[in-house]
Amino acid sequence: MDPHPSTPGALLRRSLRRHPRRLGWATVLLSLHQTCEALVPVAIGVTIDRAVATGSLPALVASLGATALLFVVLSQAYRYGARHVVTGWFTETHQLRVEIAARVLDPHGLRGAPPTGELLSIATNDAEKTGRVIEAASLVVAGTAALTVAAVSLLTISVPLGIGVLLGAPLLVGLLQLLSPWLTRRTAPQQADVARTAGLATDLVRGARVLRGIGAEDAATARYRRTSATALASTLRSAGAIGTYQGTTVLGSGLFLLAVAGVAGALALDGQLSVGQLVTVVGLAQFLAEPVGLLGFAGQKVAEARASAARVVGVLTAEPLPPAGRAPRPGPGALALPAAGFHVEPGSLVGVVAPDPADAEDLVGLLAGRRPVRPGELLLDDEDVAGLDPAAVRARVLVEPHVVVLFEGTLRSAVDPSGDAADDELLAALTAAGAADLADLELPVADRGRSLSGGQRQRVGLARALLRRPAVLVLHDPTTAVDAVTEEEIAAGLTGLRRGRTTVLVTSSPALLGRCDRVVVLRGGVVDATGTHGELAEHPDYAAAVLR
């Protein structure tokens, strides 16, 4: 695999190189459009001098026909040129999003990865702004072509005017580009602050249960308000910078137009320009504001693209969290956290009760590989997980989180995304998960399972995990959204289907804990007590968490 670009500039250059056909056609067609736009005042001036001033009907018909043809070419060139621009822009955006998703989903994880919400912002907003460099590049060429045609046209009418445009237009564009680094410096913090705020909001929503458990809602809310206020201030500064840049572009174009029109008027009064030539010069002077504006717009988009590209590069070049390691040896599925005194025998059903929700989240996060494993911290069949390949470990240890995520499709695809299971296997998994009422495997499922109730989503997620039949299955609060009768059905179905396979239930459900071979109580990340559900009934922390 080719290495990812290591700098924002390298990423933008690669974006341009990846779409030569789209960029080439977009550049040619938009340049043709701008050329035709520049020739419209010329056509009008020629019509006045050769047809209107002479009273020649054939010349008038020919001039009008040529002008009409010019407008046909102009409109079609823009239509198809814009289509190639948008296609190239959106294609590059898609490819960047795929690359970012691949890095984020890398089983080895990312060192210093931003929060989930911030990653989402990078994969959406920043990828789109980076892909827009294709539009900016085509507009730079098209605007330059328009300025060149306008300058040549003016040279044929008046050498001083043509030379003035040839010298003045690049000078104006160059002065505008001096603002580009300043605009990038203002844009980059704004994009980072907005992404950080989105990330914090996502994390707050996902961690609402934990925050309520530790009574930290007010502190989290205050932190979000501070971050949001910072993002608002950055956005206002960025908007001010963009407004200044655009205002400077408009002002510079207007002053340039005024200068050209003023010189043309003086030449006309002196008799050096005909009426048609004067109209052409004034029309070209008005038109010059468009390519100068295009170049200014392109400069703004390049500045935004460079700021976004820096954030995209940060994700694409992030180092993997742990080394790749090797695959674990086949084993019966024994788990151990030696420092915590936590051991799960092969084939056993173990319940975990954590009075502090943070302990439960930390255990599940460790088993799911959402945080790095320290050497000796976690053992799988007596092998140190820190030296194993994370993807291979996840194939052996499946963690079904509390928050179930379902993709749009049918019930069949929600339970069996790979499409390999037979109908009887699917129905058996659904029945064990207490979802026997969902017998229609072709039932439509909306994005994120919105068409299902909370309890149905939870049971479908449980059925999906059971269908995989992993060596070790870890379930985090799998029955919080179901009634007591359904919870008993799930407890019976779960123990029956997982008999002989290692299963860890992180829960406070008496129905589930009562069927466990052994239950442990976690306090401060270590085992505080162990026994059966009945034996732990007198334990104060256990009773408070389970028998309330």
Side-chain angles (χ1 to χ4, degrees):
M1 179 182 293
D2 294 334
H4 294 292
S6 58
T7 64
L11 179 64
L12 295 180
R13 289 191 294 272
R14 190 197 66 172
S15 295
L16 296 176
R17 290 196 304 269
R18 287 207 292 197
H19 308 278
R21 179 173 170 270
R22 294 291 183 190
L23 182 59
W25 277 112
T27 300
V28 169
L29 291 173
L30 291 184
S31 296
L32 178 61
H33 164 260
Q34 284 293 295
T35 297
C36 292
E37 287 266 25
L39 291 176
V40 168
V42 177
I44 294 174
V46 170
T47 301
I48 292 174
D49 283 343
R50 297 187 179 180
V52 177
T54 61
S56 173
L57 183 59
L60 180 61
V61 172
S63 298
L64 292 177
T67 304
L69 178 61
L70 189 63
F71 273 100
V72 170
V73 175
L74 180 155
S75 61
Q76 295 304 307
Y78 179 80
R79 174 186 176 186
Y80 290 102
R83 178 179 297 180
H84 283 290
V85 165
V86 173
T87 302
W89 168 16
F90 284 9
T91 301
E92 175 63 17
T93 299
H94 169 72
Q95 291 177 340
L96 287 173
R97 286 173 178 166
V98 170
E99 288 184 72
I100 294 171
R103 290 294 295 127
V104 171
L105 297 176
D106 188 328
H108 304 109
L110 300 179
R111 190 177 302 279
T116 302
E118 189 170 348
L119 285 172
L120 180 62
S121 177
I122 293 172
T124 53
N125 296 334
D126 288 310
E128 181 180 357
K129 291 180 184 296
T130 302
R132 201 164 187 177
V133 71
I134 293 176
E135 177 192 28
S138 60
L139 291 181
V140 166
V141 178
T144 302
L147 288 175
T148 302
V149 172
V152 171
S153 299
L154 288 172
L155 277 172
T156 61
I157 297 173
S158 171
V159 173
L161 280 175
I163 293 176
V165 171
L166 285 173
L167 296 177
L171 178 61
L172 176 59
V173 173
L175 292 175
L176 291 174
Q177 294 310 304
L178 293 177
L179 296 175
S180 183
W182 171 70
L183 187 61
T184 300
R185 289 194 299 270
R186 286 296 184 96
T187 303
Q190 181 262 340
Q191 293 173 359
D193 289 340
V194 170
R196 192 176 300 112
T197 302
L200 180 58
T202 301
D203 293 339
L204 288 178
V205 172
R206 293 181 61 191
R209 293 175 60 254
V210 177
L211 292 172
R212 283 195 294 269
I214 62 177
E217 300 102 318
D218 292 341
T221 301
R223 180 186 175 194
Y224 177 77
R225 285 174 176 165
R226 290 194 300 270
T227 305
S228 180
T230 300
L232 175 60
S234 297
T235 300
L236 293 176
R237 286 194 297 270
S238 176
I242 292 174
T244 300
Y245 185 85
Q246 293 176 342
T248 303
T249 300
V250 173
L251 177 62
S253 300
L255 293 175
F256 189 60
L257 183 155
L258 181 63
V260 174
V263 173
L267 293 175
L269 289 175
D270 197 37
Q272 298 182 40
L273 297 180
S274 66
V275 175
Q277 288 175 328
L278 177 61
V279 170
T280 297
V281 171
V282 172
L284 285 172
Q286 291 178 323
F287 167 73
L288 286 174
E290 181 174 336
V292 171
L294 284 179
L295 294 173
F297 176 81
Q300 173 192 334
K301 294 307 170 186
V302 168
E304 294 177 357
R306 183 174 293 275
S308 290
R311 294 167 51 73
V312 172
V313 166
V315 174
L316 296 181
T317 59
E319 296 182 4
L321 203 53
R326 58 177 179 80
R329 295 189 299 267
L335 278 180
L337 280 76
F342 180 69
H343 301 273
V344 180
E345 298 299 322
S348 64
L349 178 62
V350 175
V352 177
V353 174
D356 185 350
D359 289 333
E361 292 285 349
D362 185 64
L363 175 63
V364 172
L366 174 66
L367 297 177
R370 291 198 294 267
R371 72 167 180 82
V373 181
R374 295 184 293 272
E377 184 179 19
L378 175 62
L379 304 180
L380 173 62
D381 291 321
D382 296 324
E383 289 190 276
D384 190 348
V385 171
L388 301 178
D389 182 73
V393 172
R394 288 176 187 173
R396 293 281 306 280
V397 181
L398 174 62
V399 178
E400 177 66 22
H402 173 70
V403 178
V404 177
V405 177
L406 300 176
F407 297 99
E408 183 177 4
T410 63
L411 181 62
R412 180 190 301 276
S413 65
V415 178
D416 181 26
S418 63
D420 298 331
D423 286 2
D424 57 344
E425 294 176 307
L426 290 170
L427 294 174
L430 286 167
T431 301
D437 56 313
L438 298 173
D440 181 8
L441 296 177
E442 304 308 321
L443 176 71
V445 175
D447 178 44
R448 302 186 67 83
R450 291 194 307 269
S451 57
L452 304 176
S453 67
Q456 288 174 326
R457 284 196 299 271
Q458 197 169 54
R459 286 178 286 157
V460 169
L462 176 58
R464 179 177 59 189
L466 292 173
L467 184 67
R468 290 282 304 277
R469 298 181 183 273
V472 180
L473 176 62
V474 181
L475 301 175
H476 186 199
D477 284 336
T479 59
T480 54
V482 300
D483 55 61
V485 174
T486 304
E487 193 171 29
E488 286 289 346
E489 294 178 4
I490 293 174
L494 176 63
T495 54
L497 201 61
R498 290 294 298 175
R499 184 173 290 110
R501 291 186 175 89
T502 306
T503 307
V504 178
L505 299 177
V506 183
T507 181
S508 59
S509 164
L512 294 177
L513 294 170
R515 293 178 180 268
C516 290
D517 302 321
R518 185 168 57 91
V519 180
V520 300
V521 179
L522 283 184
R523 167 67 70 180
V526 299
V527 174
D528 184 57
T530 183
T532 64
H533 174 60
E535 293 170 347
L536 291 172
E538 300 301 323
H539 190 283
D541 287 341
Y542 187 82
V546 177
L547 304 177
R548 56 186 184 278

